[in-house]
Amino acid sequence: MSIVHAPVLLNESIDLLITDKSGSYFDATLGFGGHSVAILQKLDSKGKLIATDVDENAFNYCKEKFKDDKRVSLYKFNFSMVDVIAKIESLQAFDGILADLGVSSFQLDDPDSGFTFRTETLLDLRMDKSKKQTAADVVNELSEEELSLIIRNFGEERNHKKIARAIVNKREIKKIETTTDLKEIISEFTPVNYLTKTLSRVFQALRIYVNDELNMLKEFLERSVEVLKPGGRLVVISYHSLEDRIVKDFFRNESITSLSPKEDPFGLQKKSARLKILTKKPILPSKDEVKLNRRARSAKLRAAERI
């Protein structure tokens, strides 16, 4: 399998992540190994890289890619199971944890992956193909109100009600099975100059819902802090405002010693800060990187250190 995938914010993320060349590091979103290769290049013979990905193509590709490197252990688990993986590896804590939350270029471009609306394929959108519910199941079975909420909350699409109504009306005539089926429904009332952005938002919303991405991210962040060594780094690259807001809020909440007025209206309780924020503002890709890889343009990197 020939893979062309440019890891985003590569130098920036690795420079923040690696603090000990003999340490143990976790790549929570292995993909096709771009960041993992860079991590291994920084580690010595005592270093350890543990990585995971539920995507079958990515996992099998990297299994072959890293088969001769004894420093590497790969898992086909959801990244939220970082604590479970640490236990399996008999590790008390990691020196660094990296998560690149983007969908790979391969997944977006390969029709068989079911992520692209640019060519006709089954409406799937599952990262983990062992999951039962596909995007086709969602658009054919959920109520108009539920679909509207998904498209609004996870896609931040203003025409969510109109799109949900159109989906429900169309499925009464014919089951929606392919990416083209859904694209044609949205195309009927969306101006051409807004079509790509609208489709991107709707497909993003369905993908997030099908894979429960935001809840998995919250679980991952919480468990990551628990399995980070003091001085260990947590580095996260996000690609849309929903993810970035979760990461930003989590880092902020873990770096303060007082509860919010809602949690503690009388200001009587104190909590221990677990993180020190290393990036006051998110690190963005350079203009040169965006020129070479347009999919990097929305990336934001945030990093924090375990206290």
Side-chain angles (χ1 to χ4, degrees):
M1 182 166 55
S2 177
I3 301 296
V4 178
H5 176 64
V8 175
L9 289 163
L10 182 62
N11 294 330
E12 295 88 342
S13 59
I14 302 305
D15 287 347
L16 280 164
L17 181 71
I18 306 296
T19 55
D20 181 357
K21 291 184 178 182
S22 300
S24 298
Y25 293 87
F26 183 67
D27 186 346
T29 47
L30 173 63
F32 291 95
H35 285 101
S36 286
V37 167
I39 292 170
L40 289 166
Q41 288 171 347
K42 292 278 188 177
L43 301 185
D44 61 25
S45 59
K46 295 179 181 178
K48 180 76 175 173
L49 173 68
I50 299 156
T52 190
D53 206 300
V54 294
D55 182 86
E56 192 79 34
N57 288 321
F59 179 79
N60 290 336
Y61 177 84
C62 286
K63 195 174 179 181
E64 178 66 23
K65 184 184 184 78
F66 297 116
K67 67 180 181 180
D68 296 324
D69 196 327
K70 294 180 180 178
R71 299 173 298 168
V72 179
S73 294
L74 302 183
Y75 290 86
K76 195 170 175 288
F77 290 0
N78 185 281
F79 73 154
S80 66
M81 298 177 71
V82 55
D83 55 336
V84 175
I85 294 171
K87 285 180 181 177
I88 294 171
E89 288 288 324
S90 300
L91 273 175
Q92 287 190 332
F94 292 102
D95 293 274
I97 296 174
L98 170 69
D100 178 351
L101 304 176
V103 180
S104 74
S105 297
F106 175 83
Q107 287 172 316
L108 289 169
D109 294 335
D110 179 33
D112 292 335
S113 294
F115 283 86
T116 179
F117 54 79
R118 299 182 191 283
T119 56
E120 183 164 31
T121 185
L122 292 175
L123 187 57
D124 192 327
L125 299 181
R126 292 172 300 168
M127 298 278 191
D128 182 354
K129 300 303 183 188
S130 67
K131 283 193 168 193
K132 289 185 178 180
Q133 190 181 52
T134 67
D137 296 328
V138 173
V139 298
N140 284 292
E141 295 170 7
L142 268 58
S143 69
E144 181 179 326
E145 183 180 2
E146 288 171 320
L147 288 172
S148 178
L149 285 172
I150 289 168
I151 296 166
R152 184 193 72 182
N153 294 342
F154 300 148
E156 299 178 296
E157 168 57 46
R158 67 175 67 180
N159 289 322
H160 55 94
K161 289 184 179 179
K162 195 172 184 180
I163 293 169
R165 191 176 305 118
I167 289 171
V168 170
N169 290 339
K170 186 65 70 173
R171 77 188 188 192
E172 290 177 359
I173 303 167
K174 178 182 175 290
K175 188 176 180 180
I176 302 164
E177 297 180 309
T178 69
T179 53
T180 302
D181 290 341
L182 182 57
K183 181 179 178 180
E184 287 176 351
I185 293 168
I186 297 168
S187 299
E188 287 180 7
F189 56 84
T190 305
V192 175
N193 52 328
Y194 290 107
L195 182 58
T196 299
K197 281 191 176 181
T198 302
L199 288 170
S200 296
R201 292 189 190 112
V202 174
F203 274 73
Q204 171 188 292
L206 291 171
R207 192 200 76 222
I208 289 173
Y209 179 80
V210 166
N211 296 289
D212 197 19
E213 291 180 24
L214 300 186
N215 284 327
M216 291 299 101
L217 174 57
K218 291 173 185 176
E219 287 187 25
F220 162 74
L221 292 170
E222 182 63 39
R223 294 173 183 177
S224 290
V225 177
E226 293 170 2
V227 291
L228 260 184
K229 289 180 183 178
R233 304 283 182 80
L234 175 57
V235 179
V236 185
I237 303 170
S238 61
Y239 292 82
H240 56 76
S241 60
L242 299 172
E243 290 173 339
D244 183 58
R245 196 176 304 133
I246 288 171
V247 177
K248 179 183 177 182
D249 289 347
F250 180 81
F251 280 7
R252 186 185 65 232
N253 290 338
E254 290 295 340
S255 67
I256 58 176
T257 55
S258 60
L259 298 173
S260 70
K262 186 176 181 181
E263 294 171 305
D264 181 22
F266 299 105
L268 300 176
Q269 298 182 53
K270 297 289 180 183
K271 69 181 185 69
S272 297
R274 298 195 294 173
L275 293 177
K276 178 177 73 174
I277 296 173
L278 301 175
T279 49
K280 290 184 179 180
K281 291 184 178 181
I283 296 174
L284 307 178
S286 66
K287 290 180 181 179
D288 288 340
E289 180 172 4
V290 173
K291 280 182 183 178
L292 292 170
N293 179 12
R294 268 189 62 76
R295 285 174 178 156
R297 66 189 182 279
S298 60
K300 292 182 178 180
L301 184 156
R302 295 184 187 272
E305 183 176 281
R306 183 71 159 96
I307 296 173

